Amino acid sequence: MAIDGGLASLSESLWTAATGTYMLAVVAYTGEYAFGKNGRIAQTSAVQAGAVQAGAVRTDAAVIGAAAIGAAAIGAGKPSAARQPALVGGTEPASRLSEPPDQPGHGTGSVEPDGRGGRRWGRAAVGLTLLAAAFHLACVAIRGIAVDRVPWGNMYEFTLVVGLMATVAWLATLVKMPQLRYLGLFVMMPVLLVMFLAGTLYTKASKLVPALQSYWLAIHVSAVAVAEGILLTSAAITMMYLARARFERIAATGKAPARFAGLGSRLPAAAALDKAAYRTVAFAFPIYTAGVIFGAIWAEAAWGRYWGWDPKETWAFIAWVVYATYLHARATAGWKGNRAAYINLLGFGAMTFNFFVVNIVISGLHSYAGLS
Amino acid sequence: MSSPRGTGHRSVRLPVPPTARQLWRRLVSMRTALVLLFLLALASVPGSLLPQRPLNPPKVQQYLATHGAWGRFLDRIGAYDVFGSIWFSAVYLLLFASLIGCLIPRITVYARALRARPLKAPRNLDRLAENTALSTGLDPDQAAARISRALRPRWRTVVRTEESGAVAVSAEKGYSREAGNLLFHVSLLVALVLIAAGRLLSYEGSIVATEGSGFCNRPISYDSFTAGRWVKSGGLADFCVDRLEKFTATYREDGTPAQFKADVSYSEDLAGPPRHAVIEVNHPLRLEGDRVYLLNHGFSPTVTITRPGRTPVTDTQAFLPQDEVLTSEGAFKLPGRDGTKDDDLGLSAVFAPTPVISGGVVTSISPQATNPVLAVLAYTGELNPGGQPQSVYSLDQKQIASGKLKQVGARNLAIGQSMTLPDGTVIRFDGYRQWANLQVSHDPTQARLLLAAILMVAGLLGSLAVRRRRLWVRVAPPDASARSVVWVGGLARNDGGNFSTEFQAIVAELAAVLGAGPQPDTVAAAPAAASTAAEKIGAGKD
Ligand code: HEM
């Protein structure tokens, strides 16, 4: 079957639609971040009211976030989300979770100290994310139909798939922990960057060269893309963890947290972020391991050896070992916390290096990027 | 392990070098494993950034030539063969030792833990991170029996009667987490052994075969052959690829390749009849223990050289592709009469499958052969004075530079055309065939290694997905109103999952089997007692 030019250009229009919608979603997340209960303005007024006590570790920020999301949980029809226990602590009195739900039709979108404006922004942001994800999925799927093969045969396509995985991971996180919605800015911003990046890596719709004509392409690359999408989320959470841990350290000394009140005070408790970062790695690591093993099986069929220390393989190994180090660090006294967090970021760095630098700069057997 | 520590010198307060036992302890500690893993990652980095001999020797030469003393220094420390270097092996072996040292005690501890009964209930269940209280109308023994029965499908439980008359159920689950972890590490250990064994037992031969020719599985048949130390040179499997019958490259309209395939006839043992097979990229021919791969392809032009007064010679030579559109370079070498020194004839040629000629230079614009051209430079003189092995793809540039090989003619030939040299020699471009680069690989450890890899992933899944939990339920003796207070406390022994939600689900289930309602007074009291977070037992991982 030849390439379907009409579908290919439809897929390209969908890329534009998805990217534009992600942009709007980022604007909306920014709106929620700025005007929401945990938002900058609410925080500032809270600081002015003297509500933030120096030294207090404000785990309740997230609890309020959980309440704020209330009935506004994604997909609208999930009232049970209101009763979802808070991610943080879990020891707070239950009454704090039972804030009255949003009243439709109320409010003018103005900035209100209780963050109702933020809630509207947040709902819009999730709606836009869902729409963008739908465009994104259609973009990838139609590209696949247009070229009559799996839609991850070159770097442009692979980047799109990793971006889609990150969005899906974020939406899944929202289903489980809607109270994290106000942090959407920090996840959607990287996804938007990934979309732009895909744009710069754009490759015309084409069939696969014989070396890539293998069902292992579907298995190996999808496993790696899923793992990388999740690990991207983990890296984002880890950065939030580092910001928050720093805030908590300073808060614990009793000094005025003025300089760090900005980001740190609005994030969930460091312990919760640390746990979330660990869980995402624990979820992604076996998938990544399997992905690398699938790659080795494919290499055996294509090149006559399962492992040859090709640059791509070498960096996959490095990233894998660094994430294994992270899992160890999380179980080693003296290495938990910040040190483990840096190892997590290092693993992400190695993975990203493998994707960009190794594909574009270093040549090897894996030079399938489609860039010339 | 015995320690060589003497007894008499203990009082001397000098910095004592660590004993062997202490060194071993340090080696098998989690912290050392961490550092070694990190070093392993770090040590691999130069392997991808510097040219590597096993992958690309000419690139190493080039790097050495352009980097002077620094390049030579890197060579001395083995940086051009990182994965065969002493320091990489050292990290690898230390990690290996650390892994063994760490696994043996862990396996014994785990075996003991499997037989052990769940721990006694702590005195104050309300100091656990998760706790609640219910009340039931059942008497403690009945209640404990029901709880135990409800939990038993997934939990290991023990019922104990306490001095106070209360009955406590201790439950524990998630044993397979440690089993998964041990399975992962043991499989990893096995995988490392198999990889090392594979390097010793494997061999690889590569040959450029032109259509019509074949080869047998002998070290000398190959253009290049590498073998591990334990491979006996007579011990290769007996098979022959008798002939490369036909190589086919198919291209799409836009010129991109669609399919490469090599039709071969082969015989698995010397007595058997030849069989037919198609080898494609990603689809090797799998024989007993050996695999034959199609790695590359190109053109082999054929010329007929007629020197005056001698029998015509027809020769077909494989040419090396220089670019993606298969502009290929190669050479034909025709020795002169015996005893002469300057009678050799050499052709250095470029083959262009779809040629464009600009400024006299021939290049190709497509890998598909349409009106191919052979651009020939003819030389006479001495091809190989030393008789040393030479590249079959080119003439010796030194001979040309020193004037011992003189150019005597140059022409671009289409198929069927010929050129005549000043001495009357006629060179005719007859046509071309295709060649395929076939590689034979043998690694007897592969299948077992795959099994080890599968077990590794299985172990990881068990280890990272299984949740280790402890649960205690204490049923106090009934009070005046004939109701018993049921305290429930839980502990998450690792970070996976959301234990709060799990705990609530368990409590709901227990409440159902006990026909219990919440215990109003105690519910109010318990959180108050437990609200100082710092005091909680095992809020995180133990
Ligand atoms: C060859 C190098 C090693 C690799 C690639 C490796 C990899 C891993 C990975 C991926 C995990 C997390 C998954 C799991 O819990 O099963 C892990 C956990 C663990 N490893 Fe290793 N390991 C290595 C060597 C060692 C050594 C030498 C030790 C002993 C000191 C060790 C002790 C542990 C322990 C105790 C855990 C459990 C941590 C926890 O409770 O989360 N490992 N290892």
Side-chain angles (χ1 to χ4, degrees):
Chain A
M1 200 177 112
I3 286 157
D4 189 324
L7 284 181
S9 62
L10 173 60
S11 165
E12 279 149 33
S13 311
L14 283 164
W15 172 83
T16 314
T19 309
T21 317
Y22 277 128
M23 243 189 274
L24 293 177
V26 165
V27 170
Y29 280 121
T30 313
E32 171 175 44
Y33 190 69
F35 304 133
K37 267 231 153 124
N38 312 293
R40 173 151 275 271
I41 290 166
Q43 285 289 325
T44 317
S45 47
V47 170
Q48 280 159 358
V52 177
Q53 299 140 332
V57 178
R58 289 176 48 88
T59 48
D60 53 0
V63 176
I64 301 171
I69 206 146
I74 46 162
K78 274 206 75 183
S80 66
R83 262 177 283 119
Q84 182 90 14
L87 168 77
V88 184
T91 57
E92 280 78 7
S95 62
R96 306 197 67 164
L97 292 172
S98 49
E99 209 193 40
D102 235 9
Q103 290 152 14
H106 168 82
T108 55
S110 64
V111 181
E112 292 170 47
D114 71 347
R116 202 159 279 145
R119 214 175 306 155
R120 303 186 126 222
W121 282 109
R123 278 205 271 173
V126 173
L128 286 165
T129 310
L130 279 171
L131 186 65
F135 284 143
H136 196 160
L137 178 65
C139 165
V140 170
I142 290 175
R143 172 91 173 190
I145 298 169
V147 291
D148 193 27
R149 58 170 170 77
V150 290
W152 45 78
N154 53 49
M155 241 175 122
Y156 163 70
E157 296 168 357
F158 183 73
T159 311
L160 281 179
V161 172
V162 171
L164 183 60
M165 286 307 142
T167 306
V168 170
W170 168 241
L171 289 172
T173 310
L174 277 186
V175 171
K176 285 223 146 180
M177 307 180 219
Q179 67 273 25
L180 287 184
R181 188 186 63 188
Y182 73 105
L183 299 174
L185 178 60
F186 301 102
V187 183
M188 278 303 118
M189 204 55 207
V191 169
L192 185 61
L193 289 179
V194 165
M195 291 305 279
F196 280 125
L197 197 82
T200 67
L201 298 170
Y202 173 73
T203 313
K204 214 170 76 212
S206 61
K207 294 282 200 171
L208 295 173
V209 295
L212 293 183
Q213 294 168 8
S214 167
Y215 52 86
W216 287 110
L217 175 67
I219 303 170
H220 163 62
V221 181
S222 59
V224 174
V226 168
E228 291 188 357
I230 301 168
L231 291 170
L232 175 95
T233 315
S234 186
I237 298 173
T238 301
M239 285 196 232
M240 289 189 239
Y241 162 79
L242 286 170
R244 176 70 192 191
R246 178 166 188 178
F247 168 78
E248 287 182 7
R249 265 198 312 283
I250 287 168
T253 62
K255 281 197 217 117
R259 257 184 75 205
F260 303 98
L263 180 61
S265 67
R266 270 167 289 146
L267 294 171
L273 287 170
D274 181 47
K275 235 186 232 186
Y278 166 73
R279 281 186 208 161
T280 37
V281 172
F283 188 69
F285 189 79
I287 304 177
Y288 189 64
T289 308
V292 173
I293 292 171
F294 295 147
I297 297 174
W298 188 8
E300 192 273 342
W303 299 322
R305 83 288 183 292
Y306 57 83
W307 198 267
W309 296 112
D310 182 74
K312 193 96 194 168
E313 296 166 355
T314 305
W315 278 94
F317 173 76
I318 293 171
W320 186 81
V321 170
V322 175
Y323 278 112
T325 314
Y326 168 77
L327 291 174
H328 274 212
R330 282 274 304 35
T332 308
W335 282 80
K336 297 176 185 181
N338 269 19
R339 283 198 194 180
Y342 286 119
I343 298 175
N344 183 328
L345 292 184
L346 214 60
F348 186 68
M351 218 173 58
T352 316
F353 184 92
N354 200 9
F355 185 48
F356 293 113
V357 183
V358 174
N359 271 351
I360 297 168
V361 182
I362 304 176
S363 69
L365 288 170
H366 279 82
S367 302
Y368 63 82
L371 308 166
S372 46
Chain B
M1 291 215 51
S2 70
S3 102
R5 178 163 39 184
T7 42
H9 304 288
R10 276 213 204 133
S11 55
V12 184
R13 291 261 176 134
L14 285 173
V16 185
T19 62
R21 160 161 280 166
Q22 282 166 334
L23 276 178
W24 177 250
R25 282 251 178 80
R26 214 172 288 170
L27 179 66
V28 304
S29 79
M30 200 64 183
R31 191 164 314 209
T32 308
L34 191 70
V35 171
L36 287 174
L37 271 173
F38 193 73
L39 281 179
L40 189 68
L42 203 64
S44 316
V45 173
S48 77
L49 302 181
L50 292 171
Q52 295 292 298
R53 270 215 183 85
L55 292 179
N56 198 339
K59 233 174 159 180
V60 175
Q61 287 313 316
Q62 202 181 326
Y63 192 89
L64 275 170
T66 51
H67 285 79
W70 170 241
R72 285 193 300 282
F73 169 73
L74 288 177
D75 200 11
R76 215 165 309 130
I77 61 169
Y80 303 125
D81 184 7
V82 165
F83 304 105
S85 71
I86 299 178
W87 37 276
F88 192 83
S89 316
V91 177
Y92 182 94
L93 287 176
L94 279 174
L95 201 49
F96 191 81
S98 168
L99 194 52
I100 294 178
C102 145
L103 282 176
I104 293 169
R106 279 178 64 199
I107 291 173
T108 45
V109 167
Y110 180 65
R112 225 173 293 141
L114 272 185
R115 273 176 276 126
R117 290 154 27 114
L119 294 182
K120 265 191 196 148
R123 189 122 47 87
N124 298 313
L125 290 182
D126 59 4
R127 293 180 66 179
L128 293 169
E130 295 296 336
N131 69 82
T132 192
L134 308 162
S135 76
T136 180
L138 300 172
D139 75 63
D141 287 319
Q142 266 180 323
R146 286 207 192 174
I147 291 165
S148 191
R149 203 174 323 124
L151 292 175
R152 210 169 296 137
R154 293 171 61 214
W155 300 72
R156 174 181 298 191
T157 61
V158 170
V159 179
R160 294 185 176 93
T161 306
E162 295 177 344
E163 278 171 26
S164 64
V167 180
V169 182
S170 305
E172 182 154 357
K173 69 168 184 160
Y175 290 84
S176 56
R177 183 181 182 87
E178 181 68 359
N181 184 299
L182 291 173
L183 176 64
F184 167 77
H185 284 89
V186 171
S187 312
L188 180 67
L189 199 70
V190 172
L192 293 177
V193 172
L194 287 171
I195 289 169
R199 281 175 69 158
L200 295 167
L201 290 168
S202 64
Y203 62 78
E204 199 174 274
S206 167
I207 187 169
V208 168
T210 295
E211 286 166 327
S213 71
F215 63 93
C216 283
N217 188 28
R218 307 264 177 282
I220 46 152
S221 318
Y222 294 110
D223 298 337
S224 73
F225 181 78
T226 51
R229 217 168 294 162
W230 289 353
V231 177
K232 289 182 223 84
S233 63
L236 274 55
D238 264 337
F239 74 88
C240 294
V241 173
D242 302 312
R243 263 161 72 91
L244 170 62
E245 303 287 351
K246 186 171 160 48
F247 177 84
T248 320
T250 334
Y251 295 89
R252 301 193 187 91
E253 282 156 33
D254 62 356
T256 55
Q259 192 197 29
F260 300 125
K261 66 176 189 158
D263 284 273
V264 298
S265 53
Y266 69 98
S267 33
E268 277 206 67
D269 52 80
L270 302 181
R275 282 192 269 178
H276 178 258
V278 177
I279 305 176
E280 284 183 68
V281 181
N282 281 316
H283 300 284
L285 167 62
R286 291 184 187 273
L287 303 171
E288 177 99 26
D290 289 60
R291 295 107 55 197
V292 188
Y293 293 87
L294 170 61
L295 289 189
N296 209 341
H297 70 109
F299 290 99
S300 303
T302 304
V303 294
T304 300
I305 301 171
T306 314
R307 304 190 76 175
R310 302 182 215 177
T311 9
V313 175
T314 300
D315 192 11
T316 303
Q317 287 293 339
F319 275 36
L320 276 189
Q322 304 298 308
D323 55 27
E324 308 233 301
V325 284
L326 298 186
T327 306
S328 309
E329 285 182 14
F332 295 92
K333 300 180 184 183
L334 194 66
R337 287 202 172 88
D338 283 347
T340 58
K341 275 203 136 186
D342 52 2
D343 188 37
D344 301 343
L345 176 69
L347 308 181
S348 171
V350 172
F351 176 88
T354 301
V356 280
I357 304 173
S358 67
V361 178
V362 177
T363 51
S364 178
I365 51 164
S366 161
Q368 293 166 273
T370 38
N371 301 318
V373 155
L374 189 70
V376 180
L377 295 176
Y379 295 85
T380 53
E382 192 171 20
L383 285 171
N384 188 4
Q388 298 291 323
Q390 270 190 328
S391 163
V392 295
Y393 300 108
S394 62
L395 302 181
D396 188 345
Q397 291 305 309
K398 278 196 222 103
Q399 292 296 94
I400 294 173
S402 67
K404 295 212 180 104
L405 272 177
K406 282 190 222 38
Q407 192 183 324
V408 290
R411 245 199 96 175
N412 299 333
L413 302 175
I415 291 177
Q417 287 183 334
S418 48
M419 65 193 279
T420 309
L421 303 182
D423 70 350
T425 299
V426 176
I427 300 162
R428 200 169 76 105
F429 176 29
D430 298 333
Y432 65 88
R433 275 182 266 172
Q434 298 191 76
W435 57 257
N437 179 192
L438 298 178
Q439 177 183 302
V440 171
S441 306
H442 172 86
D443 182 348
T445 60
Q446 270 193 178
R448 265 161 278 188
L449 183 60
L450 179 61
L451 188 67
I454 292 170
L455 292 177
M456 265 169 72
V457 177
L460 269 181
L461 287 175
S463 168
L464 293 171
V466 172
R467 298 161 184 185
R468 289 174 69 190
R469 305 293 187 233
R470 280 190 180 143
L471 188 77
W472 292 280
V473 186
R474 173 175 289 124
V475 190
D479 58 12
S481 61
R483 292 194 68 82
S484 305
V485 179
V486 183
W487 292 96
V488 190
L491 189 64
R493 299 190 65 209
N494 68 273
D495 271 353
N498 183 341
F499 186 52
S500 296
T501 354
E502 284 169 40
F503 184 75
Q504 281 161 17
I506 296 164
V507 170
E509 191 187 337
L510 294 184
V513 298
L514 295 176
Q519 229 278 352
D521 313 338
T522 37
V523 170
S531 61
T532 38
E535 231 192 335
K536 289 192 188 277
I537 309 163
K541 196 175 160 129
D542 61 335

